[in-house]
């Protein structure tokens, strides 16, 4: 019986979620367009417009995930992991565009005010779409974090923003219907636009950090130090530890100081032990170790308690 490669299983899971995200986005878009059509509400229009962004972003995420899982080749020897960041950047740009379109619609509605039609029917339809979105957003965020997929996490966060927007619109429109204050409808749309502008900026900023080779966070950095320290017996010192994240992959490199008289084979054994330990602790890790003689040590001679300089 052939064993299933964990990487293949992860790829199938992430790709499957990305595909179904497109299907869910279309379903939610249809429901929200129906809610807007029934009521004529500019706030519900803004909510539906954000769902159009969801459809495009989900399709882009699906493409990016397919590319990111391609194995390294001659032109991309370090792999294609960063492809997912491009999807997230595109999603952020589309969010900003949606916000501008919403503001344009608000301006038009203020110049041509009209009462809401069948508000309760429209709100009920929009409520169903919101429940679907909330469930799917949580699913994507959990899976994206577990599989270290920036595209899934970005898609999930955007959908969760859509959920928050929908809840706010629902509450506001209920207030508008009960009080008769029609101005609440375009006012809500403005709030929606400003909110998704902020979220778009956040998504773009987070993705740009990934493209700029952001290091792991402090907690993960200290964990890496601990793993190296626990498995570097036979070495004298470790220094110049550097990390960077590229999609699911974590790249680690550092200098390992050994006795100048140690053989290449013996130093290689230490490197293998450290590398195996890091691979056991961190999924999709890439480790580069530069072995140096003791005259390259940064700590004073005789120091043994702390292997890091």
């Amino acid at each position: 019986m052939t064993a299933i490669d964990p990487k293949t299983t992860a790829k199938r899971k992430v790709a499957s979620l990305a595909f179904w995200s497109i299907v869910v986005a279309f379903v939610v878009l249809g429901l929200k367009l129906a809610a807007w059509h029934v009521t004529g509400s500019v706030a519900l229009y803004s909510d539906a417009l954000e769902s159009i962004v969801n459809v495009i972003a989900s399709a882009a995420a699906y493409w990016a995930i397919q590319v990111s899982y391609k194995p390294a080749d001659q032109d991309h020897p370090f792999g294609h992991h960063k492809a997912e960041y491009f999807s997230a950047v595109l999603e952020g740009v589309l969010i900003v565009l949606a916000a501008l379109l919403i503001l344009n619609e608000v301006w038009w509605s203020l110049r041509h005010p009209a009462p809401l039609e069948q508000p309760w029917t429209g709100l009920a339809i929009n409520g169903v779409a919101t429940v679907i979105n909330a469930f799917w957003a949580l699913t994507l965020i959990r899976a994206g974090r577990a599989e270290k997929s920036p595209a899934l996490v970005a898609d999930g966060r955007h959908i969760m923003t859509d959920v928050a927007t929908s809840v706010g619109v629902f509450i506001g429109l209920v207030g508008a219907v009960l009080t008769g204050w029609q101005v609440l409808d375009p006012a809500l749309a403005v709030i929606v636009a400003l909110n998704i502008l902020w979220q778009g900026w956040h998504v773009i900023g987070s993705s740009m950090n990934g493209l700029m080779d952001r290091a792991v966070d402090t907690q993960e950095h200290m964990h890496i130090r601990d793993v190296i320290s626990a498995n570097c017996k036979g070495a004298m010192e470790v220094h110049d530890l550097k990390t960077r994240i590229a999609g699911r992959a974590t790249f680690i490199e550092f200098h390992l100081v050994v006795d100048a008289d140690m053989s290449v084979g013996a130093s290689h054994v230490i490197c293998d032990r450290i590398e195996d330990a890091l691979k056991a602790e961190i999924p999709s890790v890439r480790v580069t170790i530069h072995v140096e003689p003791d005259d390259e040590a940064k700590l004073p001679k005789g120091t043994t308690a702390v292997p890091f300089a």
Side-chain angles (χ1 to χ4, degrees):
M1 185 174 179
T2 304
I4 299 176
D5 184 3
K7 290 184 178 180
T8 301
T9 302
K11 176 183 177 180
R12 289 175 180 173
K13 179 180 178 181
V14 172
S16 176
L17 285 170
F19 172 77
W20 281 106
S21 193
I22 300 173
V23 176
V24 172
F26 269 112
V27 171
V28 170
L29 172 60
L31 290 171
K32 290 190 174 184
L33 286 174
W36 166 57
H37 179 72
V38 167
T39 62
S41 165
V42 67
L44 290 181
Y45 166 81
S46 67
D47 208 10
L49 193 62
E50 189 174 3
S51 289
I52 294 176
V53 176
N54 285 350
V55 171
I56 299 173
S58 295
Y62 180 73
W63 167 83
I65 287 169
Q66 297 295 323
V67 173
S68 72
Y69 272 100
K70 287 183 177 180
D73 54 34
Q74 185 174 355
D75 293 329
H76 306 88
F78 292 99
H80 301 75
H81 309 288
K82 289 188 178 182
E84 293 192 42
Y85 289 119
F86 291 102
S87 167
V89 170
L90 173 62
E91 185 167 347
V93 172
L94 290 174
I95 291 172
V96 173
L97 177 60
L100 296 177
L101 292 174
I102 291 169
L103 292 175
N104 179 69
E105 184 68 16
V106 169
W107 174 248
W108 187 90
S109 67
L110 288 174
R111 295 176 62 188
H112 306 87
L116 298 179
E117 301 175 7
Q118 304 182 58
W120 299 116
T121 302
L123 286 172
I125 296 172
N126 210 60
V128 173
T130 301
V131 172
I132 295 173
N133 255 355
F135 170 78
W136 193 246
L138 291 174
T139 300
L140 290 180
I141 291 172
R142 289 197 192 102
R145 287 173 177 170
E147 304 298 337
K148 290 195 172 183
S149 171
L152 281 187
V153 173
D155 204 16
R157 284 177 176 170
H158 178 209
I159 294 173
M160 188 56 73
T161 302
D162 196 11
V163 171
T165 297
S166 298
V167 171
V169 167
F170 183 89
I171 294 172
L173 286 182
V174 168
V177 173
L178 295 178
T179 62
W181 296 349
Q182 293 185 20
V183 71
L184 284 177
D185 185 30
L188 283 169
V190 171
I191 294 173
V192 170
L194 294 177
N195 179 52
I196 65 175
L197 270 174
W198 169 255
Q199 292 297 326
W201 176 255
H202 178 75
V203 169
I204 292 172
S206 177
S207 301
M208 291 303 293
N209 273 336
L211 290 172
M212 294 297 291
D213 289 335
R214 177 176 58 86
V216 301
D217 59 34
T218 302
Q219 184 177 357
E220 183 72 6
H221 183 87
M222 295 309 297
H223 178 58
I224 291 170
R225 285 175 60 106
D226 290 342
V227 173
I228 295 173
S229 295
N231 293 276
C232 67
K233 183 179 180 181
M236 301 176 66
E237 177 185 300
V238 175
H239 58 246
D240 291 349
L241 172 62
K242 298 176 183 178
T243 64
R244 65 184 177 93
I245 299 173
R248 296 174 307 283
T250 300
F251 290 83
I252 300 172
E253 63 177 71
F254 57 89
H255 294 187
L256 184 73
V257 179
V258 300
D259 190 296
D261 294 328
M262 180 178 286
S263 68
V264 173
S267 62
H268 190 264
V269 169
I270 300 173
C271 292
D272 280 347
R273 186 169 65 242
I274 296 173
E275 187 172 351
D276 290 343
L278 288 170
K279 287 181 177 179
E281 291 289 325
I282 305 169
S284 300
V285 71
R286 308 287 192 276
V287 184
T288 302
I289 305 174
H290 178 66
V291 178
E292 296 181 332
D294 50 21
D295 59 358
E296 295 292 331
K298 294 186 177 182
L299 291 173
K301 288 188 177 181
T303 302
T304 58
V306 183
F308 274 89

